[in-house]
Amino acid sequence: MNKFESNLARYIELFLSFKHSIGFAYHTGEYYLQDFDKYNLINGNYDYLNQKLVESWVQQKKEHTHSQYIGFLSYIREFGRYLNSIDNKSYVLNDNYKSVKYKANVYLFTNEELHKFFQQIELHKKTVSNIRESVVLPALFR
């Protein structure tokens, strides 16, 4: 059974062959393109990327992800560029769709807070009944 079934199947396979030939394993890209292929199959089965199809797939993926990371955008964007390069006029996802960078809220301990933290580890080390815990906790946090 072929991994790809829609009218885009041969183009996806050519694209993946191209990626492999230039040294990319492209496993994650293949996963997302397989998902897109299934979506295309039940939503018009086009042999090119049209704006409505691509954007509705992106919207569906965004609604079903529990993460801020939406790296799947780059795979469909690259595929659209590839199709255009082989004269299959297709929609390329525009730059309004981009991955949101995660910004960590970093907290740095003061010297006093660090001192209190390690004091608590030392106190805990003396009160545990398990020898492993008395050795592991101090090692883990130092």
Side-chain angles (χ1 to χ4, degrees):
M1 185 174 131
N2 290 336
K3 288 183 185 180
F4 306 102
E5 301 176 47
S6 77
N7 288 334
L8 281 171
R10 67 185 174 107
Y11 294 114
I12 295 172
E13 288 166 356
L14 284 171
F15 175 64
L16 291 172
S17 292
F18 167 71
K19 285 297 196 180
H20 296 155
S21 74
I22 58 173
F24 290 99
Y26 221 68
H27 298 297
T28 305
E30 187 171 341
Y31 169 81
Y32 284 119
L33 289 173
Q34 193 171 4
D35 184 71
F36 181 77
D37 184 66
K38 289 176 187 172
Y39 187 82
N40 179 38
L41 190 62
I42 60 174
N43 289 284
N45 201 14
Y46 298 95
D47 63 352
Y48 64 97
L49 300 184
N50 73 47
Q51 183 174 359
K52 182 180 175 195
L53 176 71
V54 171
E55 290 182 356
S56 64
W57 179 74
V58 166
Q59 189 59 39
Q60 179 236 357
K61 295 297 290 177
K62 285 170 87 174
E63 288 172 1
H64 290 93
T65 186
H66 301 288
S67 168
Q68 289 183 341
Y69 177 71
I70 48 178
F72 58 86
L73 296 175
S74 63
Y75 301 112
I76 196 69
R77 186 177 287 124
E78 280 186 51
F79 182 54
R81 288 182 183 136
Y82 171 80
L83 289 175
N84 283 329
S85 77
I86 61 168
D87 292 329
N88 178 323
K89 298 300 176 210
S90 292
Y91 173 70
V92 176
L93 194 63
N94 68 43
D95 291 335
N96 290 337
Y97 293 93
K98 52 186 155 190
S99 295
V100 177
K101 300 276 190 226
Y102 175 76
K103 294 182 181 177
N105 192 6
V106 178
Y107 179 81
L108 299 176
F109 288 103
T110 64
N111 284 338
E112 184 181 334
E113 289 170 324
L114 283 172
H115 182 69
K116 287 180 182 178
F117 177 75
F118 288 116
Q119 279 182 329
Q120 288 301 311
I121 289 176
E122 289 300 319
L123 287 174
H124 182 71
K125 183 171 91 170
K126 294 174 185 172
T127 60
V128 293
S129 59
N130 183 335
I131 187 79
R132 287 185 189 154
E133 197 174 329
S134 68
V135 173
V136 171
L137 277 176
L140 186 66
F141 291 107
R142 290 181 196 245

